[in-house]
Amino acid sequence: SSCRHIFSTPVPPATRGMVHRPTRAPTLAGVAVVGLAAWAGSSALRAFVSPAPLAASPLVAAGQRALGRIALQARGGAEDFKAYAAGLQVPGDYTGPKYAGPGSVDDAFVKGLLAMYKEQGKLPMKYVYEMTTDILDLLKKEKTLQRIAVPEGSKITVVGDIHGQYFDFVHMLEDISGLPSPSNPILFNGDFVDRGVWSCEVLMCLFAMKLQNPSA
């Protein structure tokens, strides 16, 4: 047939009568188009799967700045929190224990603070700032690791994690160990806060006991 004169190789019966065009190698332009489409698709996919991080809210940013100032002040710089506390006022209706420096903390102060917190009372922010700054001054003078002598016939009570569990904390002090004193030292072994909802109350009571008896 005429097809046999056109093609040098026999044509399969199924393809007889069809026009055959020789295949051509892909051009550089075609490869570029395919590559561009693949890149655009992958970029869009990455943008969908991994969106750009959201900007921090003003509240979060303010909190981060406040934490930075507190950390800097704890190292001896930044704002003078004692001067700030001096400008704060104690509410006129406050009837709880009154703080006037470490010398004002005695058994009555500590017991009054424990009792006030059990009734969900609040310590004025003026006293919170003053006690905290006095504690910082006290801790800066101490070593991070100390040896504690326990003479024969005496004892030391070691307390594990408190985790803000205020009423367990009070039960231990009132019914088991007693308040810390030179003759009844207590070692609180960390993890005072978080998890429990009474973290601030636990911490302020620990501050009060430390201010009363720094070595106990």
Side-chain angles (χ1 to χ4, degrees):
S1 64
S2 59
C3 290
R4 291 174 181 169
H5 295 288
I6 296 174
F7 297 97
S8 59
T9 57
V11 179
T15 61
R16 291 176 182 174
M18 299 176 61
V19 178
H20 288 262
R21 295 183 177 89
T23 58
R24 294 187 300 177
T27 63
L28 181 60
V31 173
V33 170
V34 173
L36 181 61
W39 174 83
S42 62
S43 298
L45 181 61
R46 285 196 301 270
F48 177 77
V49 175
S50 303
L54 297 176
S57 68
L59 183 60
V60 171
Q64 291 173 342
R65 289 194 298 270
L67 289 175
R69 288 197 302 271
I70 292 172
L72 186 59
Q73 197 278 339
R75 295 193 296 269
E79 301 173 35
D80 185 352
F81 285 172
K82 289 186 177 182
Y84 174 74
L88 298 176
Q89 300 297 319
V90 176
D93 58 350
Y94 175 72
T95 59
K98 295 177 173 56
Y99 183 74
S104 65
V105 182
D106 52 14
D107 284 347
F109 183 99
V110 174
K111 291 177 180 179
L113 189 61
L114 292 169
M116 183 184 72
Y117 281 148
K118 283 197 291 186
E119 298 299 324
Q120 300 188 28
K122 295 182 179 179
L123 190 67
M125 286 302 297
K126 178 182 181 68
Y127 295 160
V128 172
Y129 271 97
E130 290 176 341
M131 291 174 66
T132 303
T133 53
D134 287 342
I135 279 288
L136 284 172
D137 291 341
L138 181 62
L139 294 178
K140 287 175 184 177
K141 299 175 183 178
E142 294 185 351
K143 296 179 180 179
T144 56
L145 183 63
Q146 303 185 56
R147 290 184 178 273
I148 300 177
V150 182
E152 186 176 354
S154 63
K155 68 172 185 176
I156 181 170
T157 302
V158 179
V159 180
D161 301 352
I162 301 173
H163 283 303
Q165 300 296 335
Y166 182 73
F167 289 93
D168 293 342
F169 171 68
V170 173
H171 170 69
M172 179 204 69
L173 292 174
E174 294 181 344
D175 301 327
I176 301 175
S177 68
L179 294 175
S181 67
S183 60
N184 184 38
I186 300 179
L187 173 61
F188 291 95
N189 205 27
D191 282 343
F192 310 134
V193 301
D194 76 45
R195 302 187 189 178
V197 297
W198 299 84
S199 295
C200 292
E201 289 80 359
V202 167
L203 197 60
M204 294 312 300
C205 289
L206 290 172
F207 284 177
M209 291 185 289
K210 179 69 174 177
L211 289 166
Q212 181 189 9
N213 294 295
S215 61

